[in-house]
Amino acid sequence: MAIVKINAIAVPPEHAEELERRFRMRAGVVEESPGFLGFQLLRPVKGEDRYFVVTQWEDEESYAGWRDGAARATHKGEHGPSVLATADLLEFDVLLDVRPGGENAPRLNPL
């Protein structure tokens, strides 16, 4: 069953541009990780003031392999001081995955 990890990141307004720049600089780092299915960086617009870093993985083991390997090396502070105020990890199983087109029609993962 696929899983989703969402880092909900509070960033002081004066650091928002720097956070976005850092993510743009790291684009491409996670794509080659085994079990990686997708990534999105969501900027708050209305009703929320946190950024959401959304990743999709084939399974928990794939996420843990990335988290304990490439992610740890990437987050060691080589980009300068932290711009985060807080970060919370939200975790989900993918129950329903709807995509456009024929064979990618809605799939319901078993409960």
Side-chain angles (χ1 to χ4, degrees):
M1 176 183 315
I3 63 168
V4 173
K5 304 291 184 173
I6 302 173
N7 281 305
I9 302 173
V11 180
E14 66 271 17
H15 295 304
E17 189 174 309
E18 176 63 13
L19 175 83
E20 294 176 20
R21 184 190 71 76
R22 290 180 186 185
F23 270 98
R24 280 192 299 275
M25 286 177 38
R26 291 195 318 234
V29 171
V30 70
E31 284 87 355
E32 300 302 318
S33 298
F36 172 77
L37 298 175
F39 168 87
Q40 293 177 309
L41 174 62
L42 306 178
R43 176 192 299 141
V45 176
K46 182 178 179 183
E48 179 63 58
D49 60 359
R50 297 177 295 176
Y51 281 79
F52 287 89
V53 181
V54 181
T55 58
Q56 300 93 32
W57 301 90
E58 288 179 3
D59 50 41
E60 186 66 34
E61 294 75 25
S62 298
Y63 169 75
W66 171 78
R67 178 197 64 213
D68 298 338
R72 190 170 306 279
T74 300
H75 290 89
K76 285 195 176 187
E78 48 294 308
H79 299 292
S82 177
V83 296
L84 310 180
T86 64
D88 298 307
L89 181 63
L90 311 173
E91 303 179 81
F92 301 88
D93 288 332
V94 176
L95 179 60
L96 184 62
D97 186 10
V98 179
R99 298 176 188 238
E103 61 185 86
N104 286 324
R107 295 182 306 248
L108 183 62
N109 286 327
L111 297 175

